[in-house]
Amino acid sequence: KARRGRVRVGRVWLGGFANRAFWLEGAWEDRMWQFAVPVLMMRVFRDTLLPGALFALVQYLGVVFLMPKAGALIDGSYRIRLARHAIALENVCIFGTCALLGLMVHRAEDKGWKGKVLGLDGAMAAYYSAIVVLGVVGEVCNQILTISLEQDWVVVLAKETGRDLTRMNVNMKRIDLLCKVLAPGLIGVFLDFF
């Protein structure tokens, strides 16, 4: 039920600011992560950009091939449960990728490994392969969550609050584009100082 531009979710009334804040947090995390993984791979593979480029290529090809099945899953599932599972699985993928990237950086620096792509030993190849798989699964979960939110949640929220759906979509895209521009700069500063 709507009351003065707010929507009741359980016992909490969410207004426009809270909705934008939630969207900002998610978009910021996604954009920072999309930029950070290839940059961190450049720290391991110092002589080439190929592993970072292959990571991004395989990740998005995986999304292209898996999204039809994910779309069918979205259409046939209870959305809030699906969103919870997608968030949990995406966070597991992020944690696993962080741990594996840390192991790769540690191994590369401790063993004096020079980062030659064709000279990968078994452990480094396994770490890299696992990172790619986790990247694909995490990105598919991210897309599932985004589609679920944009398809249902925003439409219902706009209807119940009496707000213009077009204006809400424009605000969400602005937030997303702003994060896409600012997040790489912050990652660069963070990696430069730490």
Side-chain angles (χ1 to χ4, degrees):
K1 296 180 180 180
R3 180 169 48 174
R4 293 189 198 137
R6 296 180 177 182
V7 172
R8 185 173 181 168
V9 178
R11 295 183 176 174
V12 180
W13 289 91
L14 296 177
F17 176 77
N19 297 329
R20 288 184 193 99
F22 291 143
W23 191 259
L24 174 66
E25 185 273 327
W28 185 260
E29 176 264 328
D30 290 341
R31 298 306 170 215
M32 284 184 70
W33 190 246
Q34 287 173 353
F35 185 76
V37 172
V39 168
L40 290 171
M41 285 204 183
M42 287 190 302
R43 185 167 177 168
V44 175
F45 302 99
R46 296 176 193 262
D47 297 336
T48 181
L49 297 174
L50 183 61
L54 281 176
F55 170 79
L57 176 68
V58 172
Q59 181 182 25
Y60 289 111
L61 280 176
V63 169
V64 166
F65 289 117
L66 293 175
M67 280 313 293
K69 290 190 183 283
L73 180 68
I74 292 168
D75 289 339
S77 299
Y78 181 61
R79 302 284 164 80
I80 195 74
R81 186 177 308 129
L82 180 65
R84 286 181 188 143
H85 291 351
I87 289 169
L89 186 55
E90 182 181 14
N91 287 335
V92 167
C93 290
I94 289 170
F95 178 76
T97 302
C98 287
L100 291 168
L101 277 171
L103 288 171
M104 285 182 80
V105 169
H106 179 17
R107 185 173 178 88
E109 291 176 354
D110 275 1
K111 304 289 184 187
W113 187 72
K114 300 294 183 193
K116 304 264 190 240
V117 174
L118 298 177
L120 279 175
D121 62 1
M124 290 296 269
Y127 295 157
Y128 181 78
S129 299
I131 287 171
V132 170
V133 169
L134 289 172
V136 170
V137 173
E139 187 60 29
V140 168
C141 288
N142 179 35
Q143 295 296 324
I144 287 172
L145 187 60
T146 300
I147 290 170
S148 295
L149 289 176
E150 288 178 354
Q151 187 177 1
D152 290 327
W153 182 70
V154 174
V155 175
V156 170
L157 186 63
K159 181 180 171 186
E160 290 195 14
T161 60
R163 293 187 181 172
D164 184 25
L165 179 60
T166 305
R167 183 174 168 91
M168 289 183 76
N169 280 330
V170 166
N171 285 335
M172 289 169 49
K173 286 298 176 189
R174 282 182 184 158
I175 289 169
D176 193 41
L177 291 173
L178 186 65
C179 291
K180 193 177 274 194
V181 169
L182 296 178
L186 184 66
I187 284 290
V189 169
F190 178 78
L191 291 175
D192 206 31
F193 286 110
F194 301 104

